[in-house]
Amino acid sequence: MTKLAFSAIAALVTVTTLVGSAQISPAAAGSLDWLGNDNYVRCLKYVSSLAHGDAAAYDRGRRTCNRQYYPGRPGYDY
């Protein structure tokens, strides 16, 4: 067997092994049930308009919306 044929076979085995070992699962976007809470979404839009692209200001506002519309709810980052 020539070096080229051996390299081609080794590459084929490597690619086949890599593809076979991959775990295929769809990406999860998380729960979107908060979209049904109109007041919460309105609060987020208001906070976003006040923040003008300032990530820290938006985060503070988002936390305020979380406290106001999801009080004491575990799993929310206040």
Side-chain angles (χ1 to χ4, degrees), residues 15-38:
V15 169
T16 305
T17 303
L18 180 63
V19 169
S21 68
Q23 295 179 355
I24 299 172
S25 62
S31 175
L32 298 177
D33 59 347
W34 58 270
L35 287 171
N37 187 337
D38 292 334

Side-chain angles (χ1 to χ4, degrees), residues 44 47-48 51 54-67 77-78:
L44 289 178
V47 164
S48 179
D54 181 9
Y58 177 75
D59 190 53
R60 286 190 303 271
R62 180 188 58 82
R63 290 172 188 266
T64 301
C65 292
N66 285 350
R67 281 191 298 272
D77 183 21
Y78 295 132

